[in-house]
């Protein structure tokens, strides 16, 4: 891990203890930059402090759940509304969906 950029992927963040633990481990192993991507986040009251104390540079989460009013500057919420709308449209009309923003084909 020495001098590598690390991306930690999680499905749901609540207390942020797990991602913080992993981030500390990879940091001690020499990781240069650490990012977290999670599908959903139902942050607990202490999770923002846990993230702030960690070596994580940014935490990217979807807007599937609202963020708390007080949050870390490290947390970035990504809007998935258009992706969901495209997915629903594709399923409803049994068509093929292409995401022009990211040039990814979904079947």
């Amino acid at each position: 891990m020495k001098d590598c950029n690390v991306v930690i992927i999680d499905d749901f963040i609540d207390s942020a203890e797990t991602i913080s633990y992993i981030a500390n481990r990879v940091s001690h192993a020499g990781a240069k930059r650490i990012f977290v991507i999670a599908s959903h986040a139902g942050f607990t009251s202490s999770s923002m402090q846990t993230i702030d104390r960690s070596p994580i540079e940014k935490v990217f989460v979807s807007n599937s759940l609202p963020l708390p009013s007080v949050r870390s500057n490290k947390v970035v919420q990504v809007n998935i509304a258009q992706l969901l709308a495209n997915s629903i449209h594709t399923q409803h009309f049994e068509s093929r969906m292409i995401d022009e923003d990211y040039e990814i084909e979904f079947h």
Side-chain angles (χ1 to χ4, degrees):
M1 300 251 175
K2 187 161 177 46
D3 299 325
C4 290
N5 295 324
V6 175
V7 178
I8 301 167
I9 300 174
D10 200 356
D11 60 341
F12 189 86
I13 300 173
D14 50 9
S15 69
E17 292 293 334
T18 302
I19 61 170
S20 178
Y21 173 78
I22 295 168
N24 282 314
R25 295 286 306 261
V26 297
S27 177
H28 290 308
K32 183 169 44 172
R33 300 173 77 190
I34 303 166
F35 301 92
V36 174
I37 300 172
S39 301
H40 313 284
F43 294 114
T44 62
S45 59
S46 63
S47 58
M48 294 301 162
Q49 294 88 354
T50 301
I51 291 169
D52 280 336
R53 288 191 310 264
S54 77
I56 296 168
E57 189 170 324
K58 289 287 180 191
V59 176
F60 297 92
V61 298
S62 75
N63 63 339
S64 62
L65 295 169
L67 292 179
S69 56
V70 176
R71 63 179 169 263
S72 170
N73 289 333
K74 294 180 177 185
V75 175
V76 176
Q77 192 174 50
V78 179
N79 186 349
I80 61 170
Q82 190 62 52
L83 179 63
L84 290 176
N86 290 348
S87 182
I88 291 167
H89 181 272
T90 300
Q91 288 299 312
H92 180 74
F93 292 105
E94 298 179 1
S95 63
R96 194 168 130 209
M97 181 174 94
I98 299 176
D99 186 333
E100 292 85 13
D101 293 334
Y102 302 103
E103 298 180 13
I104 299 172
E105 285 195 24
F106 299 92
H107 298 280

